[in-house]
Amino acid sequence: MSSRAFFEYLLRLGDDRLVLGHRLSEWCGHGPILEEDIALANISLDLIGEASLLLKLAASVEDEGRNEDTLAYFRDAIEFRNALMLELPKGDFGFTIMRQFLFSVFSALQMDALQKSRNAGLGGIAAKALKETRYHVRHSAQWVVTLGVGTEESHTRAQRALDELWRYTGELFAANDVDREVAASGDGVDPSTLEPAWREQVMPVLDRAGLQVADAGYMQRGGREGRHTEHLGHMLSEMQILARSHPGASW
Amino acid sequence: MANDTTTTQGSFDSQWPLWEVFLQPPKGEAHEHAGSVHATTAEQALQNARDVYSRRGEAVSIWVVPSAAITASTPEDMGPFFDPGNDKPYRHPQFYKVPRGVRV
């Protein structure tokens, strides 16, 4: 396996969590109630912490003098490798929760499989992330059901969020040469192998919530190759401005 | 606010029901009252309690109880409930001599 492929693979893992973590942090101070505000901030910090470990490992694999901070704050949108679903604006609470649910189930499966990575560093990060992610699944699944069976308003919003997000789910499982190479060497996991288990876990929750999947449509993709929506650039300008205005600043 | 403590299920449109949170500290002692959270279901209350009160490893176990399920004494009860204890020194076992060799 080339270290280039493993570096790319780690960027995907790290960027997914960095971008979603930042989107979730936008709820800080705006949560629907105090308790949920704290819960979302906790989950956001979990994700950013995972991203920090993954990007640090990526930088050491790349071995070109970068670190997790330069990867997070000094790359432009075209160099990011996150799935498109994760960069979409946070939307309403229903949208945020639905995205959290769809991704967390995927992430838990991914981290569970990555515990057995041939790379001990990645295996350790996965074991730590898995515990956190299992809680993220529990938290978001509970909310999906609550919103789905709640009021007419909450049901409508949850269904609308699912309709908007579904076409982005395919990208989570789309494998290319990078995935196949790291899977063959035992360092990574081919995401396409996770889809059956993902459906098996996602569908019963959506059923309990009384929500319908509009399946078999066109699936959006491009994030893994750096082709992003316009939203990522706006998000990065906010996320990166402090580090870029004051390079090397510490506090 | 109305003095309504008889229902757990959303007696106020704008306010979710309140739950009392009890944490068991890591050292394995009895659950202790930690505070309260708002939540619409028991599972949500448990998660909110986890997020609000046990982020720094404070607990190995959490109980949540609908606040309305707690029957509490009132300030008016203080006299009849607690004062009689004060003038009955025989209820306090400090007069006994502790035999040598017994550790207290």
Side-chain angles (χ1 to χ4, degrees):
Chain A
M1 179 203 64
S2 72
S3 62
R4 187 73 214 165
F6 193 41
F7 172 67
E8 274 287 316
Y9 183 72
L10 290 169
L11 280 188
R12 294 177 188 182
L13 295 177
D15 287 349
D16 277 356
R17 285 150 188 86
L18 176 62
V19 169
L20 183 60
H22 185 83
R23 279 298 186 209
L24 210 48
S25 78
E26 293 172 354
W27 278 99
C28 192
H30 302 275
I33 60 164
L34 176 71
E35 289 86 341
E36 190 56 25
D37 196 288
I38 295 173
L40 292 177
N42 281 348
I43 294 171
S44 164
L45 287 171
D46 285 347
L47 290 166
I48 292 168
E50 292 165 14
S52 169
L53 295 171
L54 289 161
L55 293 178
K56 186 176 185 177
L57 182 60
S60 80
V61 167
E62 184 193 37
D63 198 22
E64 284 182 14
R66 295 204 273 185
N67 62 27
E68 65 271 32
D69 284 339
T70 43
L71 287 174
Y73 297 120
F74 293 90
R75 280 181 301 149
D76 292 330
I78 197 169
E79 298 164 276
F80 271 74
R81 294 292 178 262
N82 59 283
L84 299 178
M85 172 201 278
L86 308 171
E87 73 201 37
L88 301 175
K90 74 182 197 301
D92 60 15
F93 183 66
F95 186 87
T96 281
I97 285 297
M98 187 61 71
R99 168 164 62 187
Q100 221 50 48
F101 172 63
L102 297 173
F103 177 75
S104 298
V105 174
F106 166 74
S107 179
L109 291 166
Q110 196 176 37
M111 290 301 152
D112 193 14
L114 283 174
Q115 289 186 104
K116 298 191 251 344
S117 168
R118 205 189 52 149
N119 181 290
L122 180 53
I125 295 169
K128 174 190 181 291
L130 180 60
K131 281 189 205 165
E132 299 171 342
T133 310
R134 286 202 168 131
Y135 183 73
H136 303 170
V137 171
R138 184 169 165 175
H139 175 264
S140 56
Q142 173 267 125
W143 265 116
V144 166
V145 174
T146 301
L147 296 177
V149 301
T151 63
E152 200 180 320
E153 174 81 12
S154 73
H155 178 88
T156 305
R157 289 189 186 218
Q159 182 63 57
R160 192 194 308 150
L162 182 60
D163 293 344
E164 283 175 35
L165 284 163
W166 193 258
R167 75 183 79 119
Y168 292 95
T169 55
E171 188 179 26
L172 297 176
F173 308 103
N176 69 7
D177 288 345
V178 166
D179 299 293
R180 285 184 281 270
E181 198 175 328
V182 296
S185 68
D187 291 280
V189 173
D190 180 339
S192 63
T193 61
L194 304 175
E195 188 164 9
W198 181 80
R199 282 185 168 259
E200 223 166 85
Q201 291 183 33
V202 164
M203 292 306 177
V205 174
L206 297 179
D207 273 352
R208 270 200 291 146
L211 299 170
Q212 310 292 328
V213 170
D215 221 340
Y218 172 72
M219 285 291 178
Q220 297 282 348
R221 53 193 295 185
R224 304 299 189 205
E225 288 83 41
R227 284 181 282 111
H228 290 280
T229 67
E230 62 176 320
H231 305 297
L232 183 63
H234 294 293
M235 194 201 95
L236 290 184
S237 68
E238 193 174 305
M239 189 183 93
Q240 296 178 329
I241 187 166
L242 189 72
R244 290 190 182 210
S245 309
H246 307 277
S250 64
W251 58 292
Chain B
M1 188 184 279
N3 184 20
D4 179 1
T5 55
T6 56
T7 169
T8 56
Q9 294 307 316
S11 45
F12 310 104
D13 283 342
S14 60
Q15 194 71 278
W16 294 353
L18 200 61
W19 301 69
E20 299 303 321
V21 178
F22 298 84
L23 301 181
Q24 187 181 27
K27 45 187 184 257
E29 294 176 356
H31 286 70
E32 288 172 8
H33 188 236
S36 52
V37 292
H38 292 96
T40 55
T41 63
E43 168 67 16
Q44 203 178 77
L46 201 55
Q47 292 185 13
N48 287 347
R50 179 263 191 196
D51 284 319
V52 174
Y53 292 109
S54 71
R55 285 181 297 163
R56 301 175 190 90
E58 292 94 332
V60 292
S61 161
I62 303 177
W63 290 348
V64 288
V65 180
S67 302
I70 291 177
T71 307
S73 66
T74 67
E76 293 80 59
D77 293 332
M78 266 183 74
F81 268 40
F82 309 119
D83 284 354
N86 292 339
D87 58 2
K88 297 182 176 62
Y90 48 85
R91 288 184 180 164
H92 301 270
Q94 69 264 42
F95 304 111
Y96 296 94
K97 284 211 174 87
V98 181
R100 270 178 298 170
V102 174
R103 262 186 253 159
V104 184

